[in-house]
Structures are given as C-alpha cells and as structure tokens.
Amino acid sequence: MESRYGWVVVAAGALITCVAMGAMFALPVYLQPMAAETGWSRGGISAAMTFGFIVMGFAGFFWGMLSDRIGTRPVVIVAALLGGVGLVLASRANDILVFQFAYGGLVGASGGAFFAPITAATVGWFDKHRSLAVSLVSVGGGVAPMTMTPLATVLITTYGWRTAMVAIAVAY
C-alpha cells in the first residue's frame, strides 16, 4: 500500500517520538533549578527518570497489545494526554514522591506507547521503502536529546523550571 500519505505518517511519528523521548531525556537540565528551589536531592530527582524508563519498558507491552486491539491513533492520543498530564503534575509537585510518580510513572508509562505502535502503523503504509520509513520514525527518538534538551534549557532560563515543564507538556 504505497501512498504519499505514508510519508506524513513517518514525519508525524518521528515528531511524536522526538517530543515524547525528549521530555524524558531533558530531566538533567531541570536538576539544578529543581534542587535549588525545592531542596530535593539530585539523586531523588534523577530517580524519577530511572523509574520512568523502567515503567516505559513494561508499559510498552500494554500499549502494544491495546494498539493491536483498538488501533494506533487512539493509543497515541490517550498516551499523549497521559504524558501531558504527568508533566503538568510534575511541574506542580511540592513533594519528591509526587514528582517521581508524575514524571517517572505517568510520563514513563506514556512514553512506552509511541515507538512500537507508531512503527507498526508505519510498516502498514509501505511495501517499498519500508526500512527507510521505519528508520526515519526511529530518528525521532534519536534526535530527542539534541532538540528537546536545548529547548527545555532555553525555557528554564527564561521562565523557570515549572513553566518550562508545562510548556513541554503542551507540546507533548
């Protein structure tokens, strides 16, 4: 099923995975301002990212199964909303455990919903150039630290870490 629309799916998939993975990978630039404002340890803040990647791995199984049953679009929409809510809650957290749950739990669970379902959807659009299409979707996660981290840095410097995290939530 070769269609020009397949390349739109590829571009959207790359952008979605870039923003989702970028939200996770940007946490190190939040460390210093968060620790200074809240008094939380850097280890406690960083634990949210570790927790998030563990949750992301397990959640991927659930999202993949759900994607097979109801389709990629609803899964991606629900996961994006979940990730956005997680980032907003994390930005408003006044307790390290709330932050770890919101960032590590919700944003991590959300992140597991993008790569496999979007890759599976992409494959369905291509008979020819399938490998290229999947590779380009994968590039989104690869460029995430190079794009979202500098964006988060600028936002933190300009508006503070809480507002920066909300802005990333809106993009999510």
Side-chain angles (χ1 to χ4, degrees):
M1 172 201 270
E2 195 75 22
S3 166
R4 292 186 194 267
Y5 185 73
W7 294 109
V8 173
V9 171
V10 168
L15 180 62
I16 290 166
T17 56
C18 178
V19 173
M21 292 297 96
M24 288 292 289
F25 284 121
L27 185 60
V29 299
Y30 290 94
L31 278 177
Q32 195 239 336
M34 287 176 73
E37 181 186 317
T38 63
W40 301 337
S41 71
R42 290 174 183 237
I45 297 167
S46 298
M49 189 170 177
T50 302
F51 180 53
F53 282 117
I54 292 168
V55 170
M56 186 186 305
F58 285 108
F61 292 110
F62 166 76
W63 292 116
M65 217 171 35
L66 192 61
S67 179
D68 286 342
R69 290 180 188 232
I70 66 172
T72 302
R73 185 176 298 160
V75 165
V76 169
I77 290 169
V78 168
L81 291 172
L82 180 67
V85 166
L87 286 170
V88 170
L89 289 175
S91 76
R92 298 296 167 234
N94 290 317
D95 181 78
I96 188 70
L97 291 176
V98 172
F99 174 77
Q100 289 173 335
F101 169 76
Y103 197 90
L106 298 179
V107 177
S110 170
F114 299 109
F115 185 74
I118 290 173
T119 300
T122 300
V123 167
W125 281 96
F126 292 91
D127 294 325
K128 192 175 169 188
H129 306 299
R130 184 176 291 157
S131 298
L132 175 62
V134 169
S135 297
L136 291 173
V137 168
S138 300
V139 164
V143 301
M146 297 184 310
T147 56
M148 296 302 290
T149 301
L151 173 62
T153 302
V154 169
L155 291 171
I156 291 166
T157 303
T158 307
Y159 302 107
W161 76 268
R162 292 185 188 269
T163 303
M165 200 171 279
V166 169
I168 300 295
V170 170
Y172 207 102

